[in-house]
Amino acid sequence: MMQTKIAIDAMGGDVGPSVTVPAALTFLAQSPDCRVLLVGRTGDIKAALSDARSVARDVLSRLEIIEAPELVGMDEDIRSAIRNKKRSSMRVAIDLVKSGDSHACVSAGNTGALMGTAKFVLKTLPGIDRPAICGVLPSRKGVVYVLDLGANAESTSEHLLQFAIMGAMLCSAVEGKPSPTVGLLNIGSEEIKGNEITKSAGELLKSSHLNFYGNVEGTDIYKGTTDVVVCDGFVGNVMLKASEGIAKMMGDFLKEEYTKSPIRKLMALASLPALNGFRARVDHRQYNGAALLGLRGIVVKSHGSADTFSFGRAILRAQSEAEHGLLGKISAEIERLHREGLLVPSASSDESESSSKLAAE
């Protein structure tokens, strides 16, 4: 069996190697058929490796350090990252996917720079105008795939159709659902609700091959009404950040209430199993790792503030996408839809040309 190779931007995120390196070691220990390419400043990576406790020889034999002396700042401009940081850990990790030396890459770095660099280096799949960020969220029925979570602040109805196709293919490949249900996020379930873009997208989705449920509201996401929820990146990112804020607030409220008095602290001890179960179910860390769909390569974005456990979940997501043959399935589906005349690229597909000009500027 061919080993799956994952390139990791070891320097990305708020912390860098002190999180990414231990997460990579844990992943390798749990995944004997995988290899990891740690990309970044060799000295910093080796220092993090030396800080790790006993590491099995087998794990170290499947780990390789790739030197990349430059860093992309968390607030760095996209154009600067593409033009001036060609030897950054982020760029080199993506280059490894482009060259075929890695099956996927994971980064906790600057989201805009990661998306821009990945699109510039890898390009989009034929028939896809824009990549989208797809995340997995918990629901009453398991999990729900939501996209776009921030790559595109403005999207056309054709873009939303493309997002729906990619999200459905990802859900089908990873969850094993042959025909996942797709919902269009709107301000109401009625067809007459929403702006012109969502109304038009609804018509396109109805006439597509997808298992289109119809419009869904924000509450439907966590009910698990559909397997996939589609929206533009502005709405999706606000929804995601608000959800994370609510989850943290609920956890803080519980902690405050259980520590107000000695009696309540004793009550907390008695209900600890239930509290731990609640914490596990709403812990956003286990859902870390958003796929950058629509690229000619697998790229997974981790939260910049991810800890070792959380970053490890992002690595596992990249492994899953690679081993399920996600790119091939999306490409085959897009090609089939083009042949049948069910999918036509929108007029805004000139973005790849403008991104290519960055290298010449």
Side-chain angles (χ1 to χ4, degrees), residues 89-272:
S89 54
M90 178 185 293
R91 175 66 175 268
V92 174
I94 295 172
D95 284 340
L96 289 168
V97 176
K98 171 72 172 180
S99 65
D101 293 315
S102 176
H103 297 99
C105 81
V106 182
S107 174
N110 179 325
T111 302
L114 180 66
M115 176 61 83
T117 303
K119 185 178 179 182
F120 171 72
V121 173
L122 300 173
K123 306 297 187 292
T124 56
L125 290 166
I128 298 297
D129 298 329
R130 298 181 179 182
I133 299 176
C134 183
V136 181
L137 301 177
S139 77
R140 297 294 298 272
K141 298 180 181 179
V143 296
V144 57
Y145 288 70
V146 185
L147 72 166
D148 176 26
L149 293 180
N152 307 281
E154 297 181 0
S155 302
T156 66
S157 55
E158 289 83 4
H159 292 147
L160 294 176
L161 173 60
Q162 293 174 17
F163 298 166
I165 293 168
M166 294 189 294
M169 289 298 100
L170 174 59
C171 179
S172 178
V174 176
E175 304 298 330
K177 296 184 177 182
S179 184
T181 53
V182 177
L184 177 64
L185 190 61
N186 206 334
I187 58 174
S189 59
E190 301 86 354
E191 292 184 6
I192 61 172
K193 292 290 184 68
N195 56 30
E196 291 306 313
I197 291 177
T198 54
K199 290 178 184 177
S200 176
E203 293 299 319
L204 289 176
L205 287 164
K206 276 199 299 183
S207 61
S208 74
H209 72 296
L210 296 171
N211 185 6
F212 182 50
Y213 173 89
N215 289 336
V216 295
E217 300 181 70
T219 55
D220 289 301
I221 296 174
Y222 296 102
K223 285 180 182 177
T225 301
T226 60
D227 300 308
V228 179
V229 173
V230 180
C231 58
D232 67 55
F234 185 93
V235 171
N237 191 266
V238 171
M239 178 279 300
L240 178 66
K241 299 296 175 57
S243 300
E244 291 175 350
I246 291 172
K248 186 178 186 307
M249 181 184 70
M250 293 297 291
D252 291 344
F253 281 179
L254 278 173
K255 184 177 180 180
E256 289 171 7
E257 291 300 322
Y258 272 115
T259 56
K260 280 186 174 180
S261 68
I263 293 178
R264 288 194 177 189
K265 290 180 181 179
L266 289 174
M267 292 172 61
L269 288 175
S271 57
L272 194 58

